[in-house]
Each structure stands twice: as C-alpha cells, then as structure tokens.
Amino acid sequence: MTNKGSSNYWSEFWVKYEFDGLLVDEQTQVARTLNKQPISKNRWDFTKRQVLEQLELKTGSRLLDLCCGNGLFSEALSTKVSTITAVDIN
C-alpha cells in the first residue's frame, strides 16, 4: 500500500474502495460504519446530540465545518446556527 503521505495514497484508496454513492446510505458514503455496517439511526441521533452538547452553540453562532465530507454534520447543525461554512477537499 502507498504511504499516506504520498500524493497517490488517496487516489489509490478511492480506486480500491470505489462504490456508487447513490446506491448506498449517507453513513456508508463517508465510511461511518460499525463492523462494516452503516450505523443505526439511533446511534447517529445520539452522535449528533453529543456533538451539539459539546459545541454549546448560542443563538446567532457561526460555525466552520472543516473536512465536512458529504455534509452530514453540517446539515444536522445548520438549524442551530445562523451561518455555517462547510469545506472539504472536493
């Protein structure tokens, strides 16, 4: 396998693990799985609640979501802030 620091690592990764994102659920699209199975709705809801508690967002907060992937957290948090900026490599 190519070293993660090399410029070819991610290209080779996506060739090896390529799948049609339209045919799988949003959790699998970002490799958020447990034992190679998408996490349950209950676990995802729990995760969102935990993140929200840690962020302690206040009315009018602005949020920067770096490495946002397909935007699952951005979407979940967007109703809790006045502005959200989501950035990913793609």
Side-chain angles (χ1 to χ4, degrees):
M1 173 151 258
T2 305
N3 181 311
K4 287 184 181 181
S6 78
S7 61
N8 292 326
Y9 174 80
W10 290 111
S11 296
E12 291 176 15
F13 176 88
W14 289 116
V15 168
K16 182 176 179 182
Y17 296 102
E18 180 179 9
F19 55 85
D20 186 348
L22 298 176
L23 300 178
V24 296
D25 63 278
E26 57 193 14
Q27 299 294 337
T28 304
Q29 288 174 356
V30 293
R32 187 176 291 114
T33 61
L34 179 63
N35 296 325
K36 299 184 180 182
Q37 295 298 314
I39 65 170
S40 68
K41 180 180 181 337
N42 288 341
R43 183 177 284 269
W44 176 235
D45 290 342
F46 173 80
T47 301
K48 290 186 294 186
R49 282 193 308 274
Q50 293 297 309
V51 169
L52 279 169
E53 286 177 19
Q54 295 298 314
L55 290 175
E56 300 178 2
L57 299 171
K58 297 179 178 31
T59 304
S61 292
R62 297 183 303 162
L63 187 66
L64 175 61
D65 185 1
L66 297 174
C67 304
C68 66
N70 66 357
L72 286 176
F73 271 108
S74 300
E75 179 182 31
L77 300 174
S78 65
T79 61
K80 309 294 182 190
V81 297
S82 64
T83 303
I84 187 166
T85 303
V87 180
D88 198 81
I89 194 166
N90 287 328

